[in-house]
Amino acid sequence: MHIDQEIKLDFADVLIRPKRSALPSRAEVDIRREFVFKHSQRRYRGIPIIAANMDTIGTFEMALALAPFELSVALHKHYREDELVRFFSSLEVKSSAFYSMGITKPDHEKFERVASGTGEAIEYVCIDVANGYTESFVKFVEKFREAYPKLTIMAGNVVTGEMTEEMILSGVDIVKVGIGPGSVCTTRSMTGVGYPQLSAVIECADAAHGLGGLICADGGCTAPGDLAKAFGGGADFVMLGGMLAGHAECSGDVIEKHGKQYKRFYGMSSRAAMEKYAGGIAQYRAAEGRETLVEYRGPVAATVQEILGGVRSACTYVGARKLKELTKRTTFVRVSGRANDSFDESG
Ligand code: 5GP
């Protein structure tokens, strides 16, 4: 047994210290980023925020709504092949959408069929497993990269520098970082496993950037300021689930309860998701996600404006004219107690 004595931080453990700035207004701030991916060598330009590949969030409707803002969506993996082929072959937004998949043989075969049905239309793939520390995951990613040299591959999840390096050396362009911080995730309480998300982001970004790779901070953002902290900590992309939940573009019906309107939101390893897609929870495992009702918030556009406004404002406070400069200009101050005005304790 070993105890790591170094303090590890979550978003709520810090604030960003303001700095002198010559920026007259937040309208001057450009929060777009441009990247050339290490392996695919494809060029990216957009606002590096990705809707999570959860079946309530990563929907076609969300992709259509976020595209005008230059945000991306990781489509959930439960769409049928014909639906995916139609989406990727016909829409302009396809270029900012990730095809998501697991690492089983059927996952791979489904991808091959959809990819061949869409020509070269799929540019981005998200290979997603709860635990990115298994040998089978690394082997799968290596083989997948060999088979598809031109795809931009995002894969995870991991939380440490050495595994981030291994992922990048195995062919991953964007390493997805986060184990346990999700708003409907119960991994920390069910297994005792996890890593405070801001520290994971800082350490994995450092490791990735050293090799010319990128990271996506996945999970734990509860307010726009958390995105600013993730970008300030070195994240190249940020993935959002809970902050985009409850909108018109999310799957599921609006539920009326006690005179209020809600939408269901649940983790992809929750009982609700396993019952929907796997016919229940397998005997050898337990749910590592929970289900909740989120107040209905109408179209997602207003929420996106609020998020982008918050990130832009954070850049102004530290004098970053571009989002790219935010991390260089970020000094975190540790706070005692929780930094955000409100915090979802269930995370
Ligand atoms: P949020 O933005 O809601 O805090 O986090 C979203 C992320 O939570 C997702 O992108 C995914 O990585 C993670 N997640 C989604 N569902 C589950 C689940 O059921 N269990 C766990 N452990 N993580 C989940």
Side-chain angles (χ1 to χ4, degrees), residues 58-61 75-81 83-84 110:
T59 62
F60 294 145
E61 294 79 4
L75 296 168
H76 69 76
K77 69 173 187 180
H78 298 289
Y79 278 121
R80 289 194 320 265
E81 283 170 36
E83 294 172 316
L84 288 161
K110 179 177 171 187

Side-chain angles (χ1 to χ4, degrees), residues 40 93 145 152 164 182 219 221 230 232 237 256 290-291 296 312 328:
S40 72
V93 296
R145 167 54 75 203
T152 299
T164 299
C221 287
F237 290 84
E256 304 273 346
R290 64 188 184 88
E291 180 178 7
Y296 179 60
R312 227 176 248 125
K328 283 188 220 119

Side-chain angles (χ1 to χ4, degrees), residues 15-91:
L15 287 166
I16 299 170
R17 197 177 77 190
K19 292 216 166 107
R20 281 190 66 206
S21 153
L23 274 172
S25 116
R26 70 188 66 172
E28 306 271 307
V29 174
D30 182 5
I31 55 170
R32 278 195 216 96
R33 294 272 339 239
E34 280 184 34
F35 302 113
V36 175
F37 297 110
K38 178 180 169 85
H39 295 285
S40 72
Q41 285 295 304
R42 285 187 194 261
R43 190 171 288 277
Y44 164 91
R45 186 176 153 80
I47 296 180
I49 298 173
I50 307 171
N53 50 315
M54 302 168 77
D55 73 342
T56 45
I57 307 294
T59 62
F60 294 145
E61 294 79 4
M62 190 64 84
L64 286 169
L66 296 190
F69 293 98
E70 300 181 67
L71 269 56
S72 306
V73 169
L75 296 168
H76 69 76
K77 69 173 187 180
H78 298 289
Y79 278 121
R80 289 194 320 265
E81 283 170 36
D82 60 317
E83 294 172 316
L84 288 161
V85 168
R86 212 173 318 124
F87 177 84
F88 278 105
S89 348
S90 63
L91 289 172

